[in-house]
Amino acid sequence: RGIHSQTIQAPVFKDRIFNWKSRGYVNTAFPIYRGKTIVGAVIRNKTFKGYAPGSKKNEGCWFSSLENLNGRPNQVIITESALDALSFYQLTPRQNNIYLSTGGTLSQQQFNWLQLMIESMRPSLIVCANDRDKAGQMFNVQLLLTLDPAIRSLSPTLSFPSPHTCTLSLTFPTVNRAHAWKDFLTLSLPMLSIESELQALSFNGIFPNSTAQFQHLWQAILTLSHSPERWQLALPHKKDWNEDVLTGG
């Protein structure tokens, strides 16, 4: 998949990539951690993607080694797959970062663990680097809604009333702030085609369910953060970071 041996052997990935022998095949295994406990493994080869028997894939994440961190990490880079995390590192190798993969799922247990990790590690920057497709951009929005304390305090929910629309609901501390948020979206981001309803302190915005709209929505939601400088949206040129590696980025 285009990953160099120097990448695999980098200290940041020490003890985070293994060979998995099964039925005469040698695959690559990425252990899934819940804290310090391994709760499963993602199994990959050129044509296969699966999980080790008994894996509790929704209870944890794969993440890079924490052994060589020098104080607070500079960045936590969140991708869908461990292979994308390796690819991201290979394309932009940097030191003192944590690379983390959700495995393409975002369960409540994973969110809780991510929240605890980020609060304890206090990285300078959180990079949402999921796939460029609609599912990946939706994951990026969900990460921002869940992991940013100021945004999380607004009780955000993202729902999908139909295959073509999504609804964002927020509860503001004051009516004025709720009105200001509605006005901001209406005036600054008209491409979102908002049909909104404002009732007391709650905002319900209905948006097209599309890749581009999730990217715009991520930027709009960021304005609610008390520390927007801690967040960054990173988009691969192709569908994902491994495709960027395979095609030269």
Side-chain angles (χ1 to χ4, degrees), residues 66 69 71-73 76 98 116-124 230:
L66 307 180
L69 286 177
R72 291 172 55 187
V76 170
I98 297 173
L116 180 64
M117 181 184 191
I118 286 173
E119 288 177 353
S120 62
M121 301 297 291
R122 297 182 298 116
S124 301
R230 289 192 66 205

Side-chain angles (χ1 to χ4, degrees), residues 231-245:
W231 290 90
Q232 183 181 96
L233 181 64
L235 299 176
H237 295 292
K238 302 292 185 180
K239 175 184 175 293
D240 56 45
W241 298 103
N242 188 242
E243 282 195 24
D244 279 7
V245 164

Side-chain angles (χ1 to χ4, degrees), residues 132-153:
R132 198 181 184 98
D133 60 13
K134 184 168 68 175
Q137 297 311 298
M138 179 189 69
F139 288 163
N140 285 335
V141 168
Q142 289 178 320
L143 288 171
L144 186 57
L145 290 175
T146 305
L147 298 178
D148 185 275
I151 298 171
R152 191 170 63 245
S153 71

Side-chain angles (χ1 to χ4, degrees), residues 27-111:
N27 304 311
T28 302
F30 299 95
I32 301 169
Y33 285 87
R34 183 182 60 220
K36 296 181 179 180
T37 303
I38 295 178
V39 294
V42 179
I43 308 300
R44 292 291 303 262
N45 64 29
K46 289 183 178 180
T47 59
F48 172 79
K49 178 181 178 181
Y51 294 90
S55 292
K56 300 175 182 178
K57 61 180 182 179
N58 294 328
E59 293 188 11
C61 301
W62 173 90
F63 56 91
S64 58
S65 174
L66 307 180
E67 288 184 9
N68 297 308
L69 286 177
N70 183 17
R72 291 172 55 187
N74 295 330
Q75 301 179 9
V76 170
I77 297 111
I78 304 173
T79 63
E80 287 189 41
S81 75
L83 193 58
D84 285 326
L86 295 174
S87 300
F88 192 102
Y89 173 85
Q90 184 165 301
L91 291 166
T92 55
R94 295 170 185 165
Q95 302 303 312
N96 216 51
N97 290 343
I98 297 173
Y99 296 85
L100 187 150
S101 160
T102 62
T105 62
L106 287 169
S107 68
Q108 188 60 54
Q109 287 173 296
Q110 287 174 307
F111 274 131

Side-chain angles (χ1 to χ4, degrees), residues 149-201:
I151 298 171
R152 191 170 63 245
S153 71
L154 302 177
S155 303
T157 59
L158 196 65
S159 58
F160 301 88
S162 79
H164 305 293
T165 60
C166 67
T167 299
L168 172 66
S169 299
L170 300 164
T171 301
F172 290 90
T174 66
V175 172
N176 286 342
R177 193 174 175 201
H179 277 283
W181 169 245
K182 177 188 175 183
D183 291 344
F184 168 76
L185 288 183
T186 303
L187 296 174
S188 303
L189 299 170
M191 72 287 291
L192 291 174
S193 303
I194 300 168
E195 298 174 13
S196 60
E197 224 178 88
L198 200 61
Q199 298 175 340
L201 303 179

